Amino acid sequence: MSRCAWPLLRRLPARAALALRHGGGSSPRARPAASSASSSSANGDGGASRAPDTSLFVPVPLKPGLGGAAEEDVGAELTRPLDKGEVLKNLNKFYKRKEIQRLGAENGLDARLFHQAFISFRKYIMESSSVSADLHIILNDICCGFVLPGHVDDLFPFFLRHAKQIFPMLDCMDDLRKISDLRLPPNWYPDARAIQRKIIFHAGPTNSGKTYHAIQRFLSAKSGIYCGPLKLLAHEIFQKSNDANVPCDLVTGEERLFANEDSRQAPHVACTIEMCSTNTPYEVAVIDEIQMIRDPARGWAWTRALLGLCAEEIHVCGEPAAIDLVTELMYTTGEEVEVRNYERLTPLTVLDYALESLDNLRAGDCIVCFSKNDIYSVSRQIEARGLECAVIYGSLPPGTKLEQAKKFNDPDDPCKILVATDAIGMGLNLCIRRIIFNSIVKPTVNEKGEKEIDTITTSQALQIAGRAGRFGSSFKQGEVTTMHRDDLAQLKEILRETVPPVQAAGLHPTPEQIEMFAYHLPDATLSNLIDIFVSLSQVDGMYFVCNIDDFKFLADMIQHIPLNLRSRYVFCTAPLNRKEPFVCTTLLKFARQFSRNEPLTFDWLCRHTKWPLAAPKNIKELVHLEAVHDVFDLYLWLSYRFMDMFPDAALVRDIQKKLDDIIQIGVCNITKLIRASQSAAAPGTAEVVSEDFPLSRTQRDPRAVSERQGAASPEALSIAVDAAGLRRAKNVRPSRLGGRQEELKSYGRGSLANRLLREGLLTQEMLRQLESEWQDQHRNGRYGFGSKRDDQHSSKETRKKRK
């Protein structure tokens, strides 16, 4: 065969493919690419599908061809060696062609992907010592063809082939859309759809007996499952059932307890909601705190239980705000909802006066704070008045919380005051006479996973306030107030408002869905798979995809460790607080040793945690002990998923109980620990030991926190505080915001200083230092931000620019 004929035959498939793509025999030069019709949606209904977020598409690196002597011989023998200078010139010409860009868009390459694919394609060709024979021949014809000159458009099939190699999702986008279609969650649970379930909604406020009535039906059934949001609640139902001679097992992420000594499964089970089985049939199921179906992080667990539990009767307990959503969800499954409304069993009164001073505390009072720092500060001040207080906050082990609650509830114990976070809102039975809100703002995480400081919601306020005057306690009615007078009016307004209806239920990708994604995208990281899944996912108006930032954080942290996908997914769903470095580091070590197929033994864990541990001498050591307790929890959680690799669960549970006792000693002596921490800190400084927002009644702006080591004027502090107050009120209704602005305007310099002193954010030493620095600045002609000189300078600069 002659050399002049061979290129023609080799070139025909590429040009034919390009012509077919346009529906005829003309080349792209003769017929510009037409825009493609809307692609069909994932469910095949012909509607336009959601455009993917291509910024999440990570290109797969392709190494240039550095060997391939055979290929090089074929291409060079049939034509000639390529002139890389001419090749580069023509490649850049190819990139600038509008027709090629439109053709790329029709094949799923938007501007971002087209650019990335071209850069990779050009690099591949320029750095390769040899390319495939057909591409070599096309490039030769384009650069120096004499018999039948080529055109740069002829490169498109090769470019598209390369693009699909580095972006494999382009070839399977329809499959990925089908996998991530979340519009029909009821269909995920065929066992539940195979029976006709009866849904009973027990609606009412805190302390109305709604859960009590559901539990009575649970106890009278032949078999049942209780699903609660907390280990404490599951443990309470477990004990209550067995005390009533109803054999009941306990199942949480970290613990399995059997009612039967031979470990046979009992007909009843109490579990945390993430652990409920959707395959086991029951006569009665109870889903507690159903309003948490809207939770940005955990809402998926309530959705799964509501749609998937295989029980003849589903008893749902929670706020009336969730009735409409539950009814709508059950309408899609063809199941009717019976609503039973309950009223509060004891009266709850919002007082017309604030506490204003800790000197006004009385037996049965509970001060609610929203950060550990406030807990430490308030408990120290109470102890300074000769009173004893119990302390409860979220990161304490369950056993310590129960002991502190028992101490507070005991009429013979001298401890009559409770200082707690909103952790008391669920899971603990407390004899509280009066709830006192130390602050009415708290840190929250929005649906995007972003941290915000905002006024507490009506739902949160009612949940906490409702703990006062519990039915059956020694207090026949509850009272609610605030610590500070100017918060009281706003609290009353919050409590008067109607709780907004729950709008949507949470969903989360399942391991099976992620595995199917990984099949199509084998080179993508788990974090990237999750991102692409959420980007492509389609949900209807009754659902939302839960926040996955914690999952992605862990996925990125262990990405470099060689694990199979299912094991990697399990490690990433481990329940830990990513703000605790020691716990995160431990998970990393667990995963590394797991990947080497080396069992994590009791001895290894003791060496890592330096067990045995002594009682804490200061707050920092107490916080570390809490982190070690979380590490033991993490080990136990993993031991139920990888029993062979975490074999010493029983031994770890024993030392965890001992650690719980040590932490209890620390909490009982918390004021001594606070004093030790403060004495160890430098004079005039306040040690911050909480990982939470530095929260108190008056919020500090991040700038003020970061600059507190430098010179800061009282005006600067005032501006920072005011800015934070306005910022946290951004989501508050206009009436609230107006009152808050007036309140901020009324702060004088003296009142602000007194307020900061009272709340422990400022010491006398710091105040004297600020005053001295402020005077020095005035003497030296230096001014802080917000001064008149700065304003004048800025106005002059503005006038110059205008001219």
Side-chain angles (χ1 to χ4, degrees), residues 58 511 540 725 740:
V58 179
D540 67 22
R740 185 64 180 157

Side-chain angles (χ1 to χ4, degrees), residues 357-361 378 380-388:
S357 170
L358 295 177
D359 295 328
N360 298 325
L361 287 172
V378 171
R380 172 87 188 270
Q381 293 176 58
I382 291 173
E383 188 257 359
R385 288 165 170 77
L387 300 173
E388 192 173 340

Side-chain angles (χ1 to χ4, degrees), residues 3-240:
R3 277 199 178 182
C4 62
W6 175 255
L8 177 62
L9 293 176
R10 294 290 294 180
R11 190 161 62 244
L12 278 177
R15 289 193 172 175
L18 197 61
L20 287 172
R21 180 66 187 82
H22 286 271
S26 59
S27 71
R29 281 174 287 175
R31 181 176 180 176
S35 61
S36 63
S38 300
S39 59
S40 62
S41 65
N43 65 349
D45 59 5
S49 59
R50 178 180 175 181
D53 182 359
T54 55
S55 65
L56 302 174
F57 293 2
V58 179
V60 177
L62 287 183
K63 292 182 180 179
L66 301 177
E71 284 283 358
E72 184 178 6
D73 289 342
V74 172
E77 181 186 349
L78 293 174
T79 56
R80 66 183 68 188
L82 294 173
D83 181 343
K84 289 297 179 80
E86 285 296 318
V87 169
L88 178 61
K89 202 182 301 180
N90 282 282
L91 286 174
N92 290 335
K93 184 178 176 183
F94 168 82
Y95 174 72
K96 295 175 183 177
R97 295 272 297 164
K98 297 295 183 185
E99 292 87 348
I100 294 298
Q101 293 174 14
R102 282 198 295 268
L103 198 55
E106 290 179 27
N107 286 273
L109 293 169
D110 63 8
R112 180 196 300 271
L113 295 186
F114 183 85
H115 177 74
Q116 286 183 286
F118 172 74
I119 296 297
S120 175
F121 182 58
R122 183 177 64 186
K123 181 179 179 182
Y124 178 81
I125 292 176
M126 298 304 296
E127 294 183 3
S128 294
S129 59
S130 64
V131 294
S132 61
D134 52 355
L135 177 57
H136 185 109
I137 293 168
I138 291 292
L139 287 170
N140 181 76
D141 283 356
I142 293 171
C143 294
C144 51
F146 299 110
V147 178
L148 184 62
H151 192 278
V152 290
D153 289 0
D154 296 341
L155 286 172
F156 184 78
F158 302 95
F159 167 72
L160 185 60
R161 181 176 69 190
H162 183 90
K164 289 183 177 181
Q165 284 179 305
I166 67 169
F167 294 117
M169 60 284 296
L170 295 174
D171 251 349
C172 55
M173 193 60 69
D174 287 342
D175 289 337
L176 296 180
R177 281 200 172 95
K178 289 175 183 176
I179 296 167
S180 58
D181 189 349
L182 307 179
R183 286 175 291 186
L184 294 172
N187 293 349
W188 303 349
Y189 309 103
D191 291 344
R193 301 292 78 79
I195 62 174
Q196 188 65 27
R197 307 181 306 169
K198 181 179 181 181
I199 314 297
I200 302 167
F201 196 123
H202 301 264
T206 303
N207 201 12
S208 62
K210 57 185 183 297
T211 307
Y212 169 82
H213 287 89
I215 294 301
Q216 291 304 114
R217 179 67 187 95
F218 166 81
L219 295 174
S220 65
K222 294 177 182 177
S223 63
I225 181 171
Y226 168 84
C227 307
L230 301 173
K231 287 183 281 188
L232 283 173
L233 285 170
H235 205 278
E236 180 186 346
I237 301 303
F238 164 74
Q239 286 192 326
K240 187 177 293 186

Side-chain angles (χ1 to χ4, degrees), residues 349-390:
T349 304
V350 182
L351 301 178
D352 292 326
Y353 54 88
L355 188 72
E356 298 196 87
S357 170
L358 295 177
D359 295 328
N360 298 325
L361 287 172
R362 60 177 189 260
D365 278 350
C366 172
I367 302 176
V368 176
C369 308
F370 293 112
S371 79
K372 280 188 187 177
N373 285 337
D374 284 354
I375 290 276
Y376 301 149
S377 174
V378 171
S379 58
R380 172 87 188 270
Q381 293 176 58
I382 291 173
E383 188 257 359
R385 288 165 170 77
L387 300 173
E388 192 173 340
C389 66

